[in-house]
Amino acid sequence: MPDSGVPELLANEIASSVEEHARFGGVVPEVASRAHLQAMVPAVHRALAKAGLTGSAVDAVAVTAGPGLAGALLVGVAAAKAYAAAWDVPLFGVNHLAAHVAVDTVQHGPLPPALALLVSGGHSSLLAVPDLAGPVTPLGATIDDAAGEAFDKVARLLGLPFPGGPWIDKAAKDGDRTAIRFPRGLTGPRDSRHDFSFSGLKTAVARYVESLDGEIPVADVAASFQEAVTDVLTMKTVRAAQEFGMDTVLLGGGVAANSRLREMAEERCTAAGLRLRVPRPGLCTDNGAMVAALGAHLVHTGATPSDLGIPADSSMPVTEIVVAGAAR
């Protein structure tokens, strides 16, 4: 890493198993684990080759220790331990959600204290991030379906392929976002101010589709559903930033690639006098660069490496940025 503390991205090789999961209409844990096992070593070799490096030039190894699917995490953690031991370098088992925050530094430089909205297939979280090395304070999260999960389920209702997010975004461009007034979950005066709920919205879309006698207006349903999701996400994010005195908002996670979410976040942050940082779409979806970015920051700040006995923790709390040692 340069003296500036901003990581320089030399390679970011992606090995996707989306096509395998698409056959089943969603992520199958066993399929994900096997795909990780098959892709791990070739992906590392491609990354080293693209960067023009050999293993002897690596200073540290970072890996997602959690949260996530247990089988896929186990494959990654086991491989990272082997590489760290073979190259005799430190190992950093890092938090998946914190890595989504850290990857923004690759594109936009050092991150000031920020309010982070992380939205993906498994998470919808509001986090106060004073520093990448922690501590991170969770302010809100989904109480049922995550935003990305809702996109996948609604896409299935509309006959769109998996993963649903990109397809709904594409269909919505030809639709009227005001055509159907779908509900905004947890926005009542007595509801949790910073938590999210998208299960009711998904059910409302299902009931609307079931009520139709003729052809489904896919574009209008997609646009109206997308508007409901992005309305709640951005409204609660801006409100939380103002309440907790944060003047920078960071948007991350796979759903952050959604064009309407990016547009509405920009509009509302600008109106509220907040700075918005959003990584380019390729850095929003799960990727190795985000884990490397957090690992590089930890090395740069002198963080304590992980023990080679660290476990894979599918429920790793966001307050734990890096695993310091093995579970006892």
Side-chain angles (χ1 to χ4, degrees):
M1 177 187 285
D3 293 338
S4 65
V6 178
E8 179 183 357
L9 183 59
L10 300 180
N12 186 28
E13 290 297 307
I14 302 294
S16 174
S17 56
V18 166
E19 291 186 3
E20 288 92 330
H21 295 302
R23 296 165 47 207
F24 304 96
V27 174
V28 180
E30 178 63 19
V31 172
S33 301
R34 291 178 180 273
H36 275 63
L37 187 61
Q38 293 169 352
M40 179 62 66
V41 173
V44 172
H45 285 179
R46 290 198 306 273
L48 288 171
K50 185 173 182 179
L53 301 174
T54 62
S56 61
V58 174
D59 295 320
V61 174
V63 63
T64 298
L69 297 175
L73 290 172
L74 283 168
V75 172
V77 170
K81 289 177 181 180
Y83 282 120
W87 295 333
D88 192 24
V89 295
L91 171 70
F92 291 88
V94 305
N95 190 292
H96 178 92
L97 298 183
H100 272 301
V101 176
V103 75
D104 180 73
T105 62
V106 172
Q107 184 173 348
H108 297 124
L111 181 70
L115 189 289
L117 171 66
L118 301 184
V119 278
S120 65
H123 304 279
S124 298
S125 304
L126 276 176
L127 309 171
V129 185
D131 184 86
L132 288 179
V136 170
T137 303
L139 304 177
T142 184
I143 65 171
D144 42 52
D145 288 355
E149 183 180 4
F151 270 92
D152 289 338
K153 291 179 178 178
V154 168
R156 192 177 303 123
L157 289 170
L158 299 179
L160 298 175
F162 174 87
W167 292 97
I168 286 183
D169 195 5
K170 181 179 180 180
K173 295 184 187 303
D174 297 321
D176 178 1
R177 64 176 71 117
T178 65
I180 311 152
R181 177 66 185 182
F182 286 127
R184 272 64 168 164
L186 290 187
T187 55
R190 297 184 179 180
D191 291 327
S192 171
R193 292 179 64 79
H194 307 307
D195 288 330
F196 303 102
S197 171
F198 298 108
S199 179
L201 171 59
K202 173 204 64 182
T203 300
V205 175
R207 288 177 177 171
Y208 177 83
V209 170
E210 291 167 359
S211 71
L212 299 174
D213 292 328
E215 185 177 350
I216 300 173
V218 173
D220 285 348
V221 174
S224 299
F225 161 76
Q226 181 172 267
E227 192 72 5
V229 174
T230 56
D231 185 17
V232 173
L233 288 172
T234 56
M235 181 271 291
K236 292 205 170 197
T237 298
V238 169
R239 184 170 65 189
Q242 293 173 323
E243 289 181 3
F244 291 91
M246 300 281 191
D247 59 10
T248 298
V249 169
L250 172 70
L251 184 59
V255 180
N258 179 271
S259 64
R260 181 55 180 156
L261 177 58
R262 298 166 81 95
E263 178 184 50
M264 190 181 292
E266 183 64 47
E267 291 172 355
R268 288 185 166 173
C269 283
T270 298
L274 302 171
R275 295 191 299 269
L276 176 66
R277 293 173 52 136
V278 191
R280 59 183 178 269
L283 294 179
C284 290
T285 53
D286 288 350
N287 61 85
M290 67 187 212
V291 180
L294 181 53
H297 180 80
L298 293 169
V299 171
H300 184 72
T301 55
T304 302
S306 303
D307 188 278
L308 281 178
I310 62 169
D313 185 356
S314 61
S315 57
M316 185 177 181
V318 70
T319 51
E320 187 175 6
I321 304 299
V322 58
V323 183
R328 302 299 183 190

